[in-house]
Amino acid sequence: MLVVEDEPALAFRLQQVLEGAGFAVDVAYDGEDGWHLGDTEPYDAVVLDLGLPKLDGVTVLQRWREAGRAMPVLILTARSRWSEKMAGFNAGADDYVTKPFEMEEVVYRLRALIRRASGHAQPELSCGGLRLDTNTGRVTLDGVPIQLTAQEFRILSYLLHHPGRIVSRTELMEHVYDRLFESDSNSLEVLLGRVRKKIGTGMIQTVRGQGYMLTDPES
Ligand code: CA
């Protein structure tokens, strides 16, 4: 997740709440930095303030869309001015919230945007006996809740958004760790080992030289 917001206190709160909701979060404090990150890193979704130093949010969004960057973007508007929202939508925004807003609302809207962007209309994702309620972030196996750490949740959630598809090691790492986290592929293996233990062997397959794939071993 990328958060582009120049008010440090708000940026910090958003980062905390989104990390608490299971996302890996990068923060940019001006439009130029935000544009650059969104242009070069693969994000599942972006929270973009419109009033930003160096480069305004509408321009940032226009540039991303012109360059073919298609990630869902939720804009933050300072006022409930329709003209501002309309400019955001014209530039390619997917949704908006008006400041001040409930943090929970941002989380729910982002989860819905990410789910829809990966082609799922229902809030519940499943594979075999494994289910993820994307609204609450709850994961169950055969109806029994599974306790996952934040990183374990990110791995499983990402794979559940893309079942039956090979996800490369790099792609998975980018979605598990934020940009500043020092990680190596061994730590990903360790994490995957823990997730496999919790959901039962056979569901996450290692595809030699290519990556990982979530499948229902019984189908
Ligand atoms: Ca601002």
Side-chain angles (χ1 to χ4, degrees), residues 5-7 49-53 99:
E5 168 59 64
D6 60 316
E7 291 168 48
D49 187 24
L50 289 186
L52 292 166
K99 294 177 182 178

Side-chain angles (χ1 to χ4, degrees), residues 25-203:
V25 183
D26 291 340
V27 180
Y29 299 94
D30 65 63
E32 240 169 54
D33 191 28
W35 165 75
H36 176 71
L37 282 176
D39 201 49
T40 51
E41 307 271 336
Y43 291 105
D44 285 336
V46 179
V47 179
L48 177 68
D49 187 24
L50 289 186
L52 292 166
K54 294 191 184 174
L55 202 59
D56 69 273
V58 168
T59 307
V60 169
L61 186 50
Q62 271 169 349
R63 286 196 190 173
W64 283 338
R65 294 312 192 214
E66 278 163 17
R69 309 293 294 177
M71 66 286 193
V73 174
L74 173 81
I75 53 173
L76 306 178
T77 62
R79 297 159 294 272
S80 56
R81 280 221 315 250
W82 170 241
S83 59
E84 203 173 58
K85 286 173 204 159
M86 197 168 61
F89 279 117
N90 284 338
D94 298 277
D95 200 358
Y96 73 89
V97 291
T98 305
K99 294 177 182 178
F101 49 80
E102 291 290 326
M103 286 288 159
E104 262 319 84
E105 184 182 355
V106 173
V107 172
Y108 270 72
R109 286 181 182 274
L110 285 170
R111 282 178 176 151
L113 287 175
I114 292 168
R115 173 166 56 73
R116 295 207 77 99
S118 63
H120 304 281
Q122 296 294 326
E124 191 171 82
L125 307 181
S126 65
C127 182
L130 199 60
R131 288 188 197 295
L132 164 67
D133 181 329
T134 57
N135 286 330
T136 60
R138 211 167 87 113
V139 181
T140 56
L141 181 64
D142 299 326
V144 181
I146 310 176
Q147 298 303 321
L148 298 163
T149 65
Q151 288 180 338
E152 291 166 4
F153 176 81
R154 286 177 204 158
I155 285 193
L156 197 52
S157 170
Y158 193 74
L159 291 172
L160 268 165
H161 277 78
H162 307 279
R165 159 162 103 67
I166 298 171
V167 174
S168 77
R169 175 183 294 263
T170 311
E171 185 179 344
L172 200 53
M173 286 182 78
E174 280 165 348
H175 287 85
V176 173
Y177 306 111
D178 63 46
R179 194 168 45 103
L180 304 174
F181 189 85
E182 292 293 331
S183 61
D184 55 46
S185 49
N186 285 337
S187 62
L188 185 70
E189 281 299 332
V190 172
L191 268 176
L192 275 163
R194 283 200 228 128
V195 175
R196 281 177 168 135
K197 239 181 221 165
K198 291 181 181 180
I199 66 171
T201 47
M203 289 204 77

